[in-house]
Amino acid sequence: MAPSEWRTGNTASIQETAQQLGVELKFSDGQQKQENQIKAIRQFIAMKVDVIGISPVVETGWDEVFQEVKDAGIPLILVDRRAAVPENLYVSYLGSDFIEEGRNAARALAQVTDGKARIVELVGTVDSAPANDRYKGFREILTKYPDMQIIGSRSGDFTRAKGKEVMQEFLNKYGNEITAVFAHNDDMAMGAISAIEAYGLRPGVDIKIVSIDGIRDAFKAMIDGKLNATIECHPLLGPQFYELALQVVNGESVPKRVPSKEGVFFPDNAAELLPTRKY
Ligand code: AHR
């Protein structure tokens, strides 16, 4: 299955920044599978690399292999996604505040629906940090809006194809009852837009949609009136990652948590901002 546009932008940022800095990068694509990521980590240990960076596809199940990295004396940096492990198993975690993104999505949806909505939620990859946190942050804000209810919630695995498929199922089950969609990423929102149009309703009008990432296609959908807001989740982490990695290799101390800076965007200035979007 094709990776999200976000992941494509993230990978390009990591690879291009390595080239610009003259850093030797051994890259392995985990293809959304934890077993592939674990295998790659063990290969990197065998190669005796200086630093390992990883975006853990899911939160749990890392203790053993991260301990092997530590035992090999290799510093580990979590990039983009958190893992549920003791803090002594990694040196730093660089990435977004996914809970705040979920909160911002709920605030934006409340704004575009005047606080009244019957929502279906397209959840990200099961057990991934962004899916867990966005789910939580969204609900936290919803408690302030008694007329906003979640009527369906299912994983679309962060992909367009699965987002479309799950949205079709929601439409077949709930039909016109649905007035809003919260998609944990823009790619699933793009899939939902296709499903809503195929069902004969107008995305962004009959069904309000808010999603997360801020990819170029989301800006185009806002310009076309099909998406009502996107919450930025910044993928261009290459420069910050190598800055951290080089500090670690040089024996400097680094913060345990390095957040990325993010915004919230609505259709009113989408056309003006689209040319500035890099992913
Ligand atoms: O971990 C970042 C999230 O995962 C992004 O929102 C999503 O597009 C990606 O697949």
Side-chain angles (χ1 to χ4, degrees):
M1 204 162 283
S4 64
E5 263 188 52
W6 190 100
R7 185 61 59 199
T8 305
N10 175 253
T11 300
S13 172
I14 297 288
Q15 293 176 326
E16 285 163 13
T17 313
Q19 270 188 350
Q20 285 157 12
L21 296 174
V23 169
E24 190 188 346
L25 172 70
K26 310 267 184 210
F27 180 81
S28 175
D29 181 348
Q31 308 273 355
Q32 292 264 74
K33 288 199 175 68
Q34 184 177 36
E35 69 216 61
N36 292 347
Q37 292 193 309
I38 291 176
K39 206 169 141 199
I41 290 176
R42 293 196 167 125
Q43 284 165 350
F44 294 149
I45 294 173
M47 290 174 193
K48 300 189 194 310
V49 298
D50 294 319
V51 181
I52 294 178
I54 180 168
S55 303
V57 63
V58 292
E59 273 203 76
T60 54
W62 296 104
D63 295 70
E64 189 184 333
V65 73
F66 283 6
Q67 186 63 52
E68 289 171 30
V69 175
K70 189 170 185 194
D71 293 345
I74 301 173
L76 181 79
I77 299 176
L78 303 177
V79 191
D80 155 40
R81 294 191 183 179
R82 208 185 48 238
V85 292
E87 283 200 352
N88 66 353
L89 291 185
Y90 62 94
V91 290
S92 189
Y93 163 41
L94 159 68
S96 308
D97 182 341
F98 297 131
I99 297 193
E100 189 57 19
E101 289 170 354
R103 291 186 191 121
N104 281 335
R107 291 180 187 118
L109 200 57
Q111 190 174 324
V112 301
T113 62
D114 291 326
K116 285 192 189 63
R118 292 180 66 75
I119 307 159
V120 293
E121 179 183 31
L122 297 169
V123 177
T125 300
V126 174
D127 191 34
S128 68
N132 289 343
D133 287 0
R134 290 169 186 171
Y135 184 97
K136 197 168 150 195
F138 187 74
R139 279 160 181 74
E140 192 186 302
I141 298 300
L142 241 53
T143 55
K144 298 180 189 159
Y145 295 93
D147 292 332
M148 292 178 75
Q149 286 126 23
I150 300 170
I151 57 172
S153 174
R154 272 193 52 198
S155 173
D157 207 16
F158 280 133
T159 67
R160 270 176 210 224
K162 203 72 205 299
K164 182 175 179 183
E165 189 186 307
V166 175
M167 190 67 211
Q168 273 160 352
E169 287 165 15
F170 280 145
L171 285 162
N172 291 338
K173 188 164 177 197
Y174 302 109
N176 291 343
E177 249 193 273
I178 303 168
T179 63
V181 173
F182 167 39
H184 284 203
N185 78 347
D186 291 338
D187 276 83
M188 291 190 293
M190 298 305 116
I193 287 172
S194 310
I196 293 166
E197 286 178 328
Y199 191 78
L201 291 172
R202 292 168 302 168
V205 179
D206 301 319
I207 299 182
K208 306 284 187 196
I209 310 173
V210 168
S211 54
I212 296 177
D213 277 353
I215 62 173
R216 289 177 59 82
D217 277 359
F219 279 77
K220 289 180 196 157
M222 288 198 290
I223 293 167
D224 293 342
K226 297 178 180 181
L227 180 73
N228 304 90
T230 182
I231 316 302
E232 190 174 36
C233 176
H234 195 25
L236 307 179
L237 299 174
Q240 274 179 292
F241 169 63
Y242 293 106
E243 192 183 328
L244 267 176
L246 293 172
Q247 283 171 335
V248 170
V249 170
N250 290 331
E252 295 168 33
S253 66
V254 293
K256 205 77 199 177
R257 175 78 177 99
V258 182
S260 36
K261 289 190 188 129
E262 293 165 347
V264 176
F265 303 105
F266 292 92
D268 44 3
N269 56 355
E272 188 191 320
L273 290 174
L274 178 59
T276 70
R277 301 301 296 172
K278 295 198 169 59
Y279 62 96

